Amino acid sequence: MSIPENDGTLVPTAVRGRLPAGRHKLPREFVARSQRDRLLDAMVQACAAEGYGDATVAAVIARAGVSRKTFYEHFRDRDDCFLVAYDTFLARFLERVIAAYQRPELEWPARVRAAIGALLAFLAREPAFAWMGIVEVLAADERAVERYRSAVNELAGLLDEGRGRLPNADAVPAETATMVIEGAAFLIRREILAGHTEELETLRPDITYAALVPYLGQDEALRQAQTGTGMSQT
Amino acid sequence: VIDPLPSPTPQRLPAGRGRHSLSREQVLRSQRERMLEAMIDAVAERGYNRTSIVEVAARAGVGRQAFYDQFGDKESCFIAAHDWLLERLANYVTPAYEQEGPWPERIGHGLAALLTAIAYRPQGARLALIEVLAAGPRAHQRHLDAIEAFTRFLDQGRDETAVGPMLPPALAAIVAGGVAARIHQEVAAGHTSQLPRLHPELLYHVLLPYLGHQTARQEMQKAQRQQPTR
């Protein structure tokens, strides 16, 4: 599906509200997309509010304000709706993080820092997505977990570009980057469950150090972690 | 092979209505442990969502009422089984870590004990690493707490290095979370019994942020030489 360009929320604010009841002159295609987007948004919100297990078709259509029949015109079942919502969220999330990383004018460590900053900022601004994408996804079906893993692998692939900077690159185990990303995900999950989603950006030095230490060594990773935190090392 | 996670073997009580010499308390404890074991096996086989109280009670050889008397509901029984497994795991890993010796060696012993214990009981590994994520928010929180509990071993690495005081506060959680995810990946792929093979790689991962690449690599190579050849 195509992802509408917007300010980082899943559903553009313009279509979040219900359309006026009764007859209206909007083209049918617009109505359908709006219903679909409202359903996706409702799925994300329902997961955040009630958990994946209780985010049923009934809960989702009640939030979206559409009929059950309409739901089934757009999605095969609850899991299908969850997957489409998850894919939509994840695509935008990765797009942000990768855009922050792909800045050829910057040195590699600064690009990693920027990517970590973008990742945390996105999740902090979108608490419902953070909940669905990092916490609830692990309770969802295998296809969703598969998506989560491939996102982890994609980020790990970017991080492991740091391998090119090592004098003897083969000395670092192949799984190192994946474990760093998964470790950061664990920390983020812990903070989300503790109700600290909005403060996620405070984790930036911790994650930066863990991400860079395999490639840059302790001293340089520490220096990078402290950059921009006002805690410069002398 | 010695069971690294010993528990009183759940024996059925003598059948029939006749008298036996066990106290009421002993009977309840035996029933409880049989139900916990039954929950572990049932969940490993069918998944949390498809496991029913009826099935757990039947596997344990107790009546449904006995289940409700002790646990109230399925989620509580599941969480009790999780906590029971983790308690036994901690009882196995902690003494391995607390042996005399330099910190990297103690981490090596603790990690080896962890991998051996998880590999020994694949059903328990499924419950504690995979099904725990499907069993609701309380169980999920328990899972995070269980991983967090290992950070106290890692945080002692701060005393081993000149940069210790500079290391960020959440470092141990990131390291422990990475190790847990790596183990999870092997368990999900059905390779639980081969977990001890990860020992050198995980040792490197744990030591690296505290001691740096050179030392972590030396310890990894030492661990590789100690790996049993297949």
Side-chain angles (χ1 to χ4, degrees), chain A residues 8 23 60 63 74 79 82 96 103 117 121 154 194 224 226 228 230:
Chain A
R23 291 188 177 212
V60 171
R63 278 174 186 273
H74 291 286
D79 287 351
F82 180 91
R96 287 297 168 92
R103 302 257 307 274
E154 186 163 354
Q224 292 292 339
Q226 286 156 1

Side-chain angles (χ1 to χ4, degrees), chain A residues 13 17 73 102 105 121 129 134 142 155 190 198 207:
Chain A
T13 321
E73 281 167 15
Q102 304 293 8
E105 75 277 14
F129 298 146
I134 309 274
E142 277 169 28
L155 295 177
R190 186 188 82 175
E198 283 167 16
I207 295 175

Side-chain angles (χ1 to χ4, degrees), chain B residues 106-176:
Chain B
R106 294 161 60 207
I107 285 287
H109 291 317
L111 200 49
L114 177 78
L115 296 171
T116 306
I118 298 173
Y120 187 79
R121 182 93 196 265
Q123 297 91 330
R126 267 209 89 78
L127 184 148
L129 284 153
I130 296 180
E131 294 301 327
V132 70
L133 302 170
R138 258 173 77 209
H140 198 145
Q141 186 63 55
R142 284 294 225 281
H143 176 60
L144 298 185
D145 293 345
I147 297 169
E148 188 79 31
F150 288 98
T151 59
R152 72 182 182 91
F153 304 131
L154 306 182
D155 272 327
Q156 293 181 6
R158 288 170 186 276
D159 301 334
E160 304 291 319
T161 167
V163 297
M166 313 286 293
L167 294 175
L171 179 60
I174 301 175
V175 173

Side-chain angles (χ1 to χ4, degrees), chain B residues 41-194:
Chain B
D41 290 339
V43 156
E45 223 170 84
R46 304 172 55 79
Y48 177 76
N49 287 314
R50 292 196 296 155
T51 294
S52 66
I53 289 175
V54 176
E55 185 183 352
V56 172
R59 274 177 188 260
V62 303
R64 234 183 339 158
Q65 194 54 47
F67 182 97
Y68 286 113
D69 288 346
Q70 297 225 24
F71 298 110
D73 59 25
K74 180 171 98 169
E75 187 194 20
S76 300
C77 177
F78 180 89
I79 288 174
H82 171 270
D83 291 354
W84 196 47
L85 283 166
L86 265 295
E87 189 191 327
R88 284 150 67 189
L89 185 65
N91 290 342
Y92 188 69
V93 172
T94 307
Y97 173 79
E98 283 173 351
Q99 293 174 61
E100 287 289 307
W103 182 72
E105 229 167 71
R106 294 161 60 207
I107 285 287
H109 291 317
L111 200 49
L114 177 78
L115 296 171
T116 306
I118 298 173
Y120 187 79
R121 182 93 196 265
Q123 297 91 330
R126 267 209 89 78
L127 184 148
L129 284 153
I130 296 180
E131 294 301 327
V132 70
L133 302 170
R138 258 173 77 209
H140 198 145
Q141 186 63 55
R142 284 294 225 281
H143 176 60
L144 298 185
D145 293 345
I147 297 169
E148 188 79 31
F150 288 98
T151 59
R152 72 182 182 91
F153 304 131
L154 306 182
D155 272 327
Q156 293 181 6
R158 288 170 186 276
D159 301 334
E160 304 291 319
T161 167
V163 297
M166 313 286 293
L167 294 175
L171 179 60
I174 301 175
V175 173
V179 170
R182 185 76 182 87
I183 295 173
H184 176 280
Q185 190 188 355
E186 293 299 300
V187 171
H191 302 151
T192 309
S193 62
Q194 287 140 51

Side-chain angles (χ1 to χ4, degrees), chain A residues 57-69:
Chain A
V57 173
V60 171
I61 61 177
R63 278 174 186 273
V66 305
S67 69
R68 187 171 281 269
K69 182 167 166 291

Side-chain angles (χ1 to χ4, degrees), chain A residues 99-123:
Chain A
Y101 178 79
Q102 304 293 8
R103 302 257 307 274
E105 75 277 14
L106 296 179
E107 289 279 319
W108 182 76
R111 292 164 57 201
V112 172
R113 275 203 331 261
I116 292 168
L119 181 153
L120 294 171
F122 185 99
L123 296 173

Side-chain angles (χ1 to χ4, degrees), chain A residues 135 138-139 149 168 171-173 175 179 182-184 186-187 189-190 193 206-207 209-210 214 218-219 222 226 233, chain B residues 133 140-141 144 147-148 166-170 173-174 177-178 181-182 184 201-202 204-205 208-210 212 217 220:
Chain A
V135 181
L138 300 176
R149 297 243 175 279
N168 34 15
V172 174
E175 295 293 331
M179 287 171 68
E182 287 277 21
F186 167 77
L187 178 63
R189 199 172 289 137
R190 186 188 82 175
L193 275 161
D206 305 65
I207 295 175
Y209 177 76
Q218 292 182 289
D219 294 340
L222 272 175
Q226 286 156 1
Q233 193 186 1
Chain B
L133 302 170
H140 198 145
Q141 186 63 55
L144 298 185
I147 297 169
E148 188 79 31
M166 313 286 293
L167 294 175
I174 301 175
R182 185 76 182 87
H184 176 280
E201 167 196 326
L202 293 181
Y204 174 85
H205 187 75
L208 168 74
Y210 296 97
R217 191 177 163 204
M220 172 170 73

